[in-house]
Amino acid sequence: MKAIFHTDKKWGIGKANDLMFSIPKDMKFFRETTKGKIVVMGLNTLNSFPNGEPLKNRVNIVLSPETVQKDVITAHNLEELFREIEKYPPEDVYVIGGASVYRTLIPYCTQVLVTKVDADGGAEVFVPDLDRDENFVLSRQSEQIEDNGYLLTFCTYDNLSPLPFPS
């Protein structure tokens, strides 16, 4: 399992249940990376999409205590979630938010794909700073590029000791 997100320089990922930045190259990277894959999210993330609709061309799994009636798979707790994602190849499963889902699931991820934006987005929600986490190592980093007025870097962090899914 992997996680994917963009972050500002303070490891903020969003405000007002939305992204902080409009960055076409990051959105393209997200679409191309997750298309045809399995995406795991919380209910707030699902509700933040246009019309609250699941992402097309992906299996959408929502971690929520309440059953979601849309075209998604609902996992009511972590036990159900782990049982569901074990049905898929681990490299095809992507955690896509929000903050509490990232905090819960990043320790289980083998990789985290981070688009770092060199700006302060005024974030209200944050993820753990992987640069300060001894379990994670920066394994790949792109050259810094400009997009829509922002400087960004595509980074891959490898988890040196991912937690095993509980049995």
Side-chain angles (χ1 to χ4, degrees), residues 48-128:
S48 74
F49 297 152
N51 301 315
E53 293 296 320
L55 297 177
K56 294 180 181 170
N57 304 313
R58 296 161 186 86
V59 173
N60 289 255
I61 302 173
V62 177
L63 178 60
S64 172
E66 56 191 81
T67 300
V68 181
Q69 298 300 322
K70 302 180 187 222
D71 189 22
V72 301
I73 298 167
T74 303
H76 296 97
N77 53 50
L78 285 178
E79 183 181 315
E80 285 183 22
L81 176 66
F82 290 134
R83 271 199 319 265
E84 184 62 36
I85 59 181
E86 283 182 332
K87 298 175 183 176
Y88 305 98
E91 65 274 9
D92 288 349
V93 179
Y94 287 86
V95 178
I96 64 166
S100 64
V101 175
Y102 285 129
R103 279 192 298 275
T104 301
L105 296 179
I106 281 177
Y108 297 92
C109 292
T110 57
Q111 279 190 331
V112 182
L113 309 178
V114 181
T115 302
K116 288 185 175 180
V117 182
D118 189 16
D120 182 342
E124 297 170 347
V125 291
F126 298 84
V127 291

Side-chain angles (χ1 to χ4, degrees), residues 10 25 33 47 53 66 73 75 112 117 120 133 151-152 156:
K10 295 180 179 179
K25 288 178 183 169
T33 302
N47 290 336
E53 293 296 320
E66 56 191 81
I73 298 167
V112 182
V117 182
D120 182 342
D133 188 321
L151 293 174
L152 53 139
T156 301

Side-chain angles (χ1 to χ4, degrees), residues 143-162:
E143 294 294 321
Q144 195 171 56
I145 60 172
E146 187 276 333
D147 189 22
N148 204 22
Y150 297 103
L151 293 174
L152 53 139
T153 309
F154 294 97
C155 302
T156 301
Y157 289 84
D158 292 335
N159 188 343
L160 300 175
S161 55

